[in-house]
Amino acid sequence: MTQSPRFPALLMAATMLATPALGTPAFASPAAADNAAKAPDDPQKALEARIARIEAQMAQMQDDLAAARQELAAARATPQGGPAPAVVAPAPTALAAASAPTAERAPGAITPDRPAPPRDEGQPAIRLGGTIKMVASIARVESTSLANNALGRDIYVPTMIPSPTGSGRRFTNTSLRQTELHLSTHHIVAGHTIDGYVEVDFQPLPGPDADLTVPNRETPYLRRAFVKVDRWTVGQDWTTFQFTGALPESTDYIGATEGLVFVRQPLVRYSQPLGDGLALHVALEKPESHVAETSSNGWADNHRSQKPDLAARLGWSGRQGELSLAGLAREIHGEAGNFRRLGVGGSLGGKIWLDEDQGADLRFMITYGRNIGRYVGLGSTDLGQEYQMVGNGVRARGYGNIDTAAVMAALHVPLGSTLRANLIGAWQNNHYEMLPGMNQVYANGNTHTVWSTAFNLFWSPLPAIDIGYEYRHARKTFITAAPAGTLDKLELAGKYHF
């Protein structure tokens, strides 16, 4: 008798499948017993017939298992209350490319990472991140007037550089106030994308809540908190007038303060992608007037503005880098006589790659405007109050326009896989209009011109850790006859990103 070529394999499979499991014959049934009794005398043909039946049964079991898996997957994907609509992940758009912040930025300069879209509409994806940052610095000013716990000790604030008064003074400072925490969420509901973001740090304005003696306690301060529904953003975010991609890498909180637009405030913004890497952002933002007032003996946010500031920005992103062109229109109120003035300005910013690997870049910002001082250099004055002195009294008062020009440039150069250098320069000039009949400008330290240069080195021994060393020199002149003030500062910072 000639054996079939697959007879040994078939015989082995039949032996294994026919082996009793836990005392019960595999695939045993009365019909199978009858068929076995009626099987032909030829053992090979009987075995082949039985193997054919077993193969058919196994194929049916595989089909049933595949169908059961499909039903289980469909049941898990369907939320309670009915089937879920199909959600298709959108492709990257010009809006995302043009408005996405740059990875390297100053602390004011941190943006949320979007988590992976959730499979279930009812469960938003949540991510917690932030930066733990410690800064130690030593600085020298030609004055003894910089108060303890002043904001100018923690970060570089050009308006707080004092005029020389006697011998110079050195001061040291160490803090973790620039530590930042943020929480981001991503949710898809009824086909709409909802993103939430909350960000806090511990860098307050001077106040009684900071204790630098024994407990060294710090109070969290809100930086940003907003909700994005598709193309609408509502909440507190970077002003639309600012291009965050130009922020330089620095150990300082901002890095080139006098040359930058830098504001976070409540707003309502709409963003529209235009194609070819272009996106348009238009917003109504919080109104506020920052005015030099004689009645307040200094700058005053008088809360008299009623009409929201209007800001718009056109952004472009491509292989060569990023560019931004922004405009601002606002109304400023003075305290005396409910005085009003118009403020308008424009800002051009960019980040240009200098090599094909997109490692080295040049960042810049050029800003000019009338009565826009609140947006530039951490709050230069919007309006200057002017008056005419008669004897010991004030005969008349008025508010003069202030024209502000600011420039910033920063060169970022990698020096290897873990080392990089940054060269930063910034300049600002304020021109105060002298009204007819007025012979005095209330200044109290108002800035005429201020500039600074800084150089730093950053080393990243691990991908999540940065250690930076920076030297800065700054000089400030005043609109009065007061002598110019200078600042020299050495700073060491360590950051852990998570």
Side-chain angles (χ1 to χ4, degrees), residues 164-439:
T165 56
S167 61
R169 180 185 179 186
R170 290 183 176 88
F171 57 87
T172 60
N173 193 69
T174 304
S175 79
L176 284 89
R177 291 180 175 181
Q178 296 178 33
T179 294
E180 171 264 330
L181 300 173
H182 64 256
L183 178 71
S184 62
T185 65
H186 178 67
H187 203 179
I188 299 177
V189 178
H192 295 277
T193 301
I194 303 177
D195 292 308
Y197 187 73
V198 178
E199 181 181 270
V200 297
D201 67 9
F202 303 85
Q203 184 65 68
L205 294 174
D209 50 355
D211 190 330
L212 305 182
T213 55
V214 177
N216 282 280
R217 67 174 182 266
E218 305 289 358
T219 302
Y221 278 74
L222 181 68
R223 287 160 53 106
R224 294 190 288 165
F226 59 82
V227 176
K228 292 180 65 177
V229 181
D230 296 331
R231 296 173 182 172
W232 289 93
T233 301
V234 180
Q236 179 162 305
D237 195 12
W238 298 109
T239 174
T240 310
F241 189 52
Q242 175 182 352
F243 173 56
T244 58
L247 293 171
E249 184 180 29
S250 173
T251 60
D252 185 63
Y253 190 68
I254 302 175
T257 310
E258 62 268 72
L260 289 169
V261 175
F262 190 90
V263 172
R264 293 184 295 262
Q265 61 188 3
L267 53 79
V268 177
R269 178 167 57 219
Y270 180 78
S271 301
Q272 176 65 50
L274 304 177
D276 294 329
L278 288 171
L280 178 65
H281 313 271
V282 180
L284 296 177
E285 306 191 3
K286 175 187 176 181
E288 191 62 81
S289 297
H290 196 57
V291 182
E293 302 276 11
T294 55
S295 59
S296 61
N297 192 32
W299 301 329
D301 299 325
N302 54 40
H303 309 294
R304 289 177 175 268
S305 300
Q306 299 174 359
K307 298 177 182 178
D309 294 0
L310 174 62
R313 186 170 70 86
L314 181 65
W316 174 82
S317 178
R319 294 181 58 185
Q320 295 80 16
E322 302 172 65
L323 290 174
S324 170
L325 180 62
L328 176 71
R330 56 194 297 251
E331 185 179 73
I332 299 96
H333 283 234
E335 243 178 48
N338 195 26
F339 193 87
R340 303 182 183 184
R341 283 291 176 94
L342 177 66
V344 293
S347 182
L348 174 66
K351 178 180 179 180
I352 307 301
W353 300 115
L354 301 180
D355 56 12
E356 295 182 356
D357 297 333
Q358 297 187 348
D361 63 71
L362 175 66
R363 309 173 194 189
F364 66 90
M365 182 177 289
I366 304 171
T367 305
Y368 180 80
R370 169 164 290 187
N371 305 330
I372 64 168
R374 181 173 73 87
Y375 284 81
V376 183
L378 281 184
S380 302
T381 309
D382 286 329
L383 289 174
Q385 191 175 47
E386 302 178 6
Y387 54 93
Q388 182 179 21
M389 295 297 298
V390 178
N392 294 325
V394 177
R395 177 177 178 180
R397 291 179 179 175
Y399 291 90
N401 295 311
I402 301 177
D403 296 331
T404 299
V407 178
M408 188 283 304
L411 179 64
H412 173 83
V413 181
L415 302 176
S417 59
T418 61
L419 188 66
R420 56 198 181 275
N422 296 274
L423 179 62
I424 306 168
W427 170 88
Q428 181 188 130
N429 177 267
N430 297 286
H431 174 72
Y432 293 75
E433 176 190 23
M434 183 61 68
L435 298 175
M438 303 295 177
N439 56 12

